[in-house]
Amino acid sequence: MSWLTLTIIAQFLNSIVALFDKYLVTSKKITTPILYVFYTGVLTCLGVLAYIPALFVSGSSLPHFSNITMITPWVFFLIVCSAFAQLNALWALFCSLRKNDASDVVPVIGSFSAVASLAIGFVFGSLVLPPHFAVGFALLIFGTLLISHLRFNLKTFGLTLVGGLCFAIHNILLKESLRLTSFDSGFFWFSIITSCIALCLIFLPQIKKTFRSHKKEKHIRTTSIILLLNKVVAGIAGILLIKAIEIGEVSLVQALGGLQFVFLFLLAAILGPFTPIDFGENVRRKDIYHKLVSISIIFAGFVLLFM
């Protein structure tokens, strides 16, 4: 498959993951966003499954257990910080999804993350801003303000800002750790370390209370299956994007990151009237026009930022 096909499939899968994230955090099945952060973080260890196919397929470029080595203390520190940033970003994302549409929240957080990544790389690294940065930045800001206008309160807007910043920090630190070691080692240790950090959240009172109450509920098995499948799909999307970056141009793959918002909008518009109220997508004609214009502007901003 070409890098373009891999990118399109990955972003489509990411849009499905976002919708189910919205469904789970707003339903009664997940009582608090921090609980969903716990589940998501612990299930990061499923990334280790990506190393299994290479045991049966010789000569492939898939991750392999034999390539895993011990990491230096500095790389370990970077991975720990990256994991903390990701868990905080997920908390902000899930809190935002609890009260707002996924097709509103995800594009805003994605915009903040893109701008923050470029800004941090420019200030602290050797990143050279693209020639169309100013125009792309302006489009992202305008699209973000448009999609959040009269839809986000101040708290939600602050959460999306925190989420975007933390996702940017996570991506930068993880990229640096992978640069200092191999992908196979870095990805393996990131999966394990993130799961261990998330597992420590079990000592929080609200999570222990939830586990005690879940023992008496019958729907917990169904919820667990939905959550597990959703995270498996998220993992597949992540691997496809990594493969797309490997065989294609990084800037082009990043530029097409806005496709997730387009797919998310289309899924919300098509499936909204037929999905449970827990999805919470506003699908009135006025809302659809509003989102269509906003997401189109954000997508154009993405292309200009990374081309």
Side-chain angles (χ1 to χ4, degrees):
M1 265 189 268
S2 67
W3 67 267
L4 179 59
T5 303
L6 291 173
T7 302
I8 292 173
I9 294 174
Q11 296 302 351
F12 177 71
L13 293 178
N14 278 331
S15 66
I16 295 176
V17 169
L19 278 181
F20 275 95
D21 282 340
K22 165 66 178 177
Y23 168 69
L24 288 169
V25 298
T26 55
S27 68
K28 295 180 180 179
K29 300 173 178 61
I30 302 293
T31 55
T32 175
I34 192 64
L35 178 63
Y36 199 39
V37 172
F38 168 77
Y39 286 136
T40 303
V42 170
L43 290 175
T44 304
C45 65
L46 292 176
V48 176
L49 297 178
Y51 294 79
I52 295 179
L55 298 176
F56 306 97
V57 182
S58 59
S60 69
S61 59
L62 295 170
H64 201 286
F65 285 114
S66 61
N67 297 328
I68 298 173
T69 59
M70 293 301 296
I71 53 178
T72 64
W74 175 244
V75 173
F76 175 79
F77 174 75
L78 290 177
I79 291 178
V80 169
C81 291
S82 176
F84 269 110
Q86 184 191 51
L87 293 175
N88 278 282
L90 290 173
W91 173 80
L93 169 63
F94 298 150
C95 286
S96 302
L97 288 175
R98 203 167 178 84
K99 300 293 184 182
N100 300 273
D101 293 0
S103 53
D104 288 340
V105 170
V106 175
V108 172
I109 288 184
S111 299
F112 285 146
S113 179
V115 172
S117 295
L118 290 175
I120 293 173
F122 176 74
V123 174
F124 297 101
S126 56
L127 178 67
V128 177
L129 295 178
H132 304 296
F133 173 80
V135 180
F137 176 79
L139 288 176
L140 280 185
I141 296 300
F142 179 64
T144 295
L145 293 175
L146 185 62
I147 204 170
S148 61
H149 179 59
L150 300 179
R151 302 174 76 86
F152 289 180
N153 57 32
L154 187 59
K155 179 180 178 181
T156 298
F157 190 79
L159 285 170
T160 57
L161 182 61
V162 170
L165 178 61
C166 287
F167 272 125
I169 294 173
H170 155 69
N171 291 329
I172 290 172
L173 294 179
L174 181 58
K175 182 178 180 179
E176 179 65 12
S177 64
L178 294 178
R179 186 186 68 82
L180 295 175
T181 183
S182 66
F183 169 81
D184 289 9
S185 291
F187 183 70
F188 174 83
W189 288 114
F190 173 78
S191 300
I192 298 300
I193 291 171
T194 302
S195 295
C196 291
I197 294 175
L199 196 58
C200 295
L201 296 176
I202 199 172
F203 297 107
L204 293 176
Q206 56 266 49
I207 292 183
K208 290 196 292 185
K209 181 180 178 181
T210 301
F211 278 137
R212 285 195 295 267
S213 62
H214 276 177
K215 293 179 180 179
K216 303 177 182 179
E217 297 177 5
K218 297 181 180 180
H219 62 65
I220 187 62
R221 179 175 298 180
T222 302
T223 303
S224 300
I225 293 174
I226 295 175
L227 191 151
L228 179 61
L229 290 175
N230 193 40
K231 296 312 161 188
V232 169
V233 172
I236 294 173
I239 293 173
L240 291 178
L241 281 176
I242 292 171
K243 189 64 178 178
I245 290 174
E246 180 184 345
I247 64 178
E249 289 291 333
V250 177
S251 59
L252 294 176
V253 175
Q254 289 177 312
L256 292 177
L259 281 176
Q260 179 189 358
F261 315 145
V262 176
F263 286 132
L264 188 54
F265 163 75
L266 293 174
L267 287 174
I270 295 171
L271 301 178
F274 309 103
T275 52
I277 192 65
D278 288 335
F279 274 104
E281 288 292 333
N282 291 300
V283 291
R284 295 172 300 178
R285 180 171 298 181
K286 179 181 177 181
D287 295 307
I288 290 177
Y289 290 152
H290 185 169
K291 295 179 183 184
L292 177 61
V293 173
S294 304
I295 291 176
S296 298
I297 294 173
I298 290 175
F299 180 73
F302 254 81
V303 173
L304 289 174
L305 276 185
F306 293 105
M307 289 292 283

